[in-house]
Amino acid sequence: GYAPPVNDQVAWTTVTPDPGVLEVNMAPCSTVTEFHTEQRRLHAAAASVGLSSCQLFFHGEGVDSGGGQHLTFGGMSPQTSPFFIEPRLLPRLIAYLNRHPALSYWFAVRSVGSCSQQPRPDEVSAESLDGLSVNLDRLHQQPAIDPESLWRSLSPFLCDRFGNTHRCEINVEKLWNPYLPGRGCLGLAELRAFRMTRSAEDGAAVATLMRTLIAWLANGDAPAEMIDWGARLHDRFSLPFYLLRDLREVLAETRAAGFG
């Protein structure tokens, strides 16, 4: 009658019925190859009972099934989390996603923006963006950052405009949250700006891209400066031309850093 313990001794997958979709929380995978294998098993299991990762509108257009395909990164234990081994990784990642909106919109669900399920930090308010920029600058100057200070510095700005920390592009509820008993201090960060992919190969490709960015930012010295895009954020990056150009810049930067 009790769930298994939440630690590195047990890896478990949960399947939960949600309105219109079946939510699957995968067990952790240590490699992209393992992730791809598990994705293929899930897609095969879904197909065997008549479920699909996409849906058709009345006029035949195919779209994702809804809900999204969120990616969670961390370590086998809180102590081995890359966000604690290199405390400046998360600030660098936040700033990098800000500077490259394609990572927020190219893979996203149909509804984006401040009222969506995964608003960017700069879609909340100008004051919130200003506060986050100041905190990222202060964290970059700190000689040492403990897990709780990292979480307390960033969590007020990683939320939607109503303060909901679950509805945001980067969810740090389980990074080092002492107010979430049992599951709050796991060293995890969840990236939510992804729609459900059509195949295991597509899912593994997106996971590989984000894992590559994390590996690069953990080992590099990328700046933590934020860009205040203003109206350009939606005016420019609602167009496929600018999104694709920005995505190509991301791939060129990772390739130049030795992460092709």
Side-chain angles (χ1 to χ4, degrees):
Y2 295 92
V6 181
N7 57 39
D8 58 352
Q9 296 178 339
V10 179
W12 49 311
T13 294
T14 62
V15 181
T16 307
D18 262 7
V21 297
L22 198 63
E23 178 183 310
V24 179
N25 288 296
M26 290 175 56
C29 298
S30 58
T31 66
V32 171
T33 302
E34 182 183 346
F35 179 83
H36 179 223
T37 300
E38 292 303 313
Q39 281 278 301
R40 292 184 67 180
R41 290 174 177 170
L42 284 173
H43 279 268
S48 70
V49 293
L51 298 176
S52 173
S53 59
C54 61
Q55 59 179 320
L56 294 177
F57 283 165
F58 69 93
H59 59 327
E61 180 185 358
V63 296
D64 59 279
S65 60
Q69 182 163 303
H70 309 147
L71 296 170
T72 300
F73 292 92
M76 292 297 292
S77 65
Q79 293 73 25
T80 60
S81 170
F83 303 108
F84 296 157
I85 294 175
E86 177 44 76
R88 288 172 180 77
L89 164 60
L90 187 55
R92 290 172 189 157
L93 180 62
I94 293 170
Y96 195 81
L97 295 180
N98 161 262
R99 295 197 302 274
H100 291 284
L103 297 172
S104 305
Y105 300 144
W106 183 267
F107 307 100
V109 297
R110 294 172 64 88
S111 299
V112 298
S114 61
C115 293
S116 69
Q117 293 281 340
Q118 63 288 326
R120 287 163 50 96
D122 51 4
E123 290 177 319
V124 177
S125 68
E127 294 81 5
S128 179
L129 177 62
D130 184 58
L132 178 58
S133 300
V134 172
N135 272 20
L136 292 180
D137 181 65
R138 295 295 183 270
L139 287 172
H140 189 71
Q141 297 178 26
Q142 290 291 328
I145 309 171
D146 63 273
E148 186 167 350
S149 295
L150 181 67
W151 176 78
R152 288 186 181 278
S153 298
L154 299 175
S155 60
F157 306 102
L158 301 179
C159 59
D160 68 4
R161 58 180 180 165
F162 303 107
N164 187 338
T165 57
H166 190 73
R167 290 165 54 99
C168 56
E169 181 180 28
I170 306 175
N171 183 341
V172 294
E173 289 178 319
K174 298 176 183 176
L175 184 70
W176 200 262
N177 180 0
Y179 304 109
L180 188 61
R183 299 181 61 83
C185 300
L186 299 178
L188 303 178
E190 180 186 25
L191 307 182
R192 295 169 46 85
F194 305 100
R195 62 182 172 272
M196 184 67 199
T197 51
R198 303 287 181 91
S199 67
E201 287 69 30
D202 286 351
V206 174
T208 301
L209 172 61
M210 300 312 299
R211 193 173 190 263
T212 299
L213 285 176
I214 288 173
W216 169 39
L217 295 174
N219 291 279
D221 193 25
E225 289 85 5
M226 303 281 281
I227 295 177
D228 185 0
W229 292 101
R232 293 178 299 161
L233 180 63
H234 294 155
D235 289 347
R236 177 180 297 181
F237 294 103
S238 294
L239 301 174
F241 171 83
Y242 290 103
L243 281 179
L244 186 57
R245 186 173 72 174
D246 187 43
L247 184 61
R248 285 172 174 161
E249 288 181 8
V250 171
L251 298 176
E253 288 179 8
T254 54
R255 189 181 303 114
F259 290 84

